């Protein structure tokens, strides 16, 4: 007997990057920050009392909302706390999209979780291919409107290319689109600007929602904490569909401490940004094509004549260096490499040299 709905039966679940049990892996496959979270985060977790654990947590994470609002120059009514950024995506799909139609609009390629969430909800998916340089086509919003999309999902900086679209482009999409524009800013801590100016009431936009996560910038992927920023009406609507206690007391305390220690976290962003430039330059010197990235990863395509991206992915894997590879259109000739510490990046670059020497030797013989 099958008990599940048809769309769940047909569903291909999200495939996360591998999380090895071994500690000796050079792990450049899931865009984690290679540096530890701010010290205040661990202190805040230790300071949670038995009595706080005994009681239910503040349902809307009020203290966190106030901290986030201050940080971004917004009001707490413009902030919703979620169990990872992924929960905000799930809430947005269930709140804004109709089962059976009028669903999500996205680019191709993009974060593959979007499709999984739409399929679980049983809503439609409209894909608009990115241009050759990974930019969003000017008619993106119109094409989504024609298909009746209710929710546009734009990851910016883009994953997996790292390209960031400018504010004026995002604003044009928001004005032209007749649904909610969710700008997924999971990687924005590594970029030069963010989209918070679009939330300024003077712009008069009531359909923009920004996604933030503590997983990347704040080195807290294990904590599961993210948040949404948007027009108070959008936030209030999402709040209706929230699990009653969607974030727990430990993560609320840790996340509040993390945002309060932003200056410390920023030091890790600066190191990652410096290494991103070095890694990009070194890969290009080896003949790779590397898209300019505003993120904590680079999308790199190996030089022709040597190992294919897939073969290189496997050979690196055998050397306990994990990067990400997708056998999918437009990206099957590329590797997505998380920017690591200088030592990790050197290990990667050294292994690539060894591989190309071995490949060169094989073809010469
Ligand atoms: C990491 C990530 C998120 C959110 O991740 P969480 O760990 O659930 O906070 C959202 N979108 C993209 C594109 C991501 O890479």
């Amino acid at each position: 007997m099958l008990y599940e709905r048809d769309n769940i039966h047909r569903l291909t679940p999200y495939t996360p990057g591998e999380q090895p049990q071994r500690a000796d892996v050079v792990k450049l496959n899931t865009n984690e920050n290679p540096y530890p979270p701010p010290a205040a985060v661990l202190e805040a977790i230790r300071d949670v009392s038995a009595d706080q654990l005994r009681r239910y947590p503040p349902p809307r994470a009020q203290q966190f909302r106030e901290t986030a609002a201050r940080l971004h120059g917004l009001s707490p009514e413009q902030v919703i706390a979620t169990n990872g950024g992924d929960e905000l995506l799930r809430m947005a799909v269930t709140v804004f999209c109709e089962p059976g139609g009028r669903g999500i609009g996205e680019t191709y390629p993009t974060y593959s979780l979007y499709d999984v969430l739409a399929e679980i909800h049983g809503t439609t998916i409209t894909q608009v291919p990115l241009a050759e340089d990974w930019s969003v086509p000017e008619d993106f919003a119109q094409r989504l409107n024609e298909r009746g999309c209710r929710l546009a999902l734009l990851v910016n900086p883009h994953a997996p290319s790292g390209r960031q679209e400018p504010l004026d482009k995002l604003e044009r999409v928001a004005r032209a689109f007749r649904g909610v524009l969710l700008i997924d800013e999971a990687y924005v801590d590594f970029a030069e600007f963010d989209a918070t100016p679009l939330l300024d009431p003077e712009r008069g936009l009531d359909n923009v929602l920004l996604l933030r996560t503590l997983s990347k910038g704040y080195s807290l992927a294990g904590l599961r904490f993210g948040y949404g920023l948007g027009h108070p009406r959008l936030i209030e609507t999402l709040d209706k569909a929230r699990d009653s206690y969607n974030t727990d007391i430990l993560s609320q305390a840790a996340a509040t401490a993390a945002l309060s220690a932003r200056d410390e976290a920023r030091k890790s962003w600066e190191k990652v940004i410096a290494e991103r430039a070095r890694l990009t330059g070194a890969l290009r010197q080896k003949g790779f094509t590397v898209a300019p990235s505003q993120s904590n990863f680079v999308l790199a395509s190996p030089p022709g004549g040597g190992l294919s991206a897939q073969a290189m992915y496997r050979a690196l894997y055998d050397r306990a260096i994990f990067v990400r590879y997708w056998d999918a259109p437009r990206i099957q000739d590329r590797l997505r490499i998380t920017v690591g510490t200088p030592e990790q990046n050197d290990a990667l670059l050294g292994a690539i040299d060894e591989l190309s020497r071995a490949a060169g030797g094989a073809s010469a013989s």
Side-chain angles (χ1 to χ4, degrees), residues 14 30-31 82-89 110-114 155-159 184-187 211-216 220-222 224-227 297 336:
Y14 178 70
T30 55
N31 299 344
T82 57
N83 183 6
D86 288 350
E87 190 197 17
L88 181 70
L89 294 170
T110 192
Y111 183 32
S112 60
L113 181 69
Y114 301 159
V155 53
N156 198 53
H158 178 249
D184 181 341
E185 296 198 307
Y187 298 103
L211 176 152
R212 296 298 185 91
T213 174
L214 277 75
S215 295
K216 318 297 180 5
L220 290 170
R224 313 305 307 136
F225 208 94
Y227 57 102
F297 54 80
R336 194 201 64 191

Side-chain angles (χ1 to χ4, degrees), residues 112-156:
S112 60
L113 181 69
Y114 301 159
D115 286 1
V116 176
L117 296 174
E119 279 164 18
I120 291 171
H121 191 55
T123 196
T124 55
I125 300 168
T126 299
Q127 284 188 336
V128 176
L130 290 175
E132 195 62 37
D133 63 355
W134 309 110
S135 62
V136 176
E138 280 296 338
D139 63 352
F140 178 69
Q142 284 84 333
R143 289 166 73 173
L144 268 46
N145 287 337
E146 282 159 19
R147 296 285 302 270
C149 298
R150 303 305 303 147
L151 177 66
L153 296 163
L154 268 190
V155 53
N156 198 53

Side-chain angles (χ1 to χ4, degrees), residues 85-107:
D86 288 350
E87 190 197 17
L88 181 70
L89 294 170
R90 185 188 284 266
M91 285 168 64
V93 170
T94 52
V95 165
F96 301 118
C97 300
E98 300 287 351
R102 299 174 64 79
I104 68 162
E106 61 181 13
T107 64

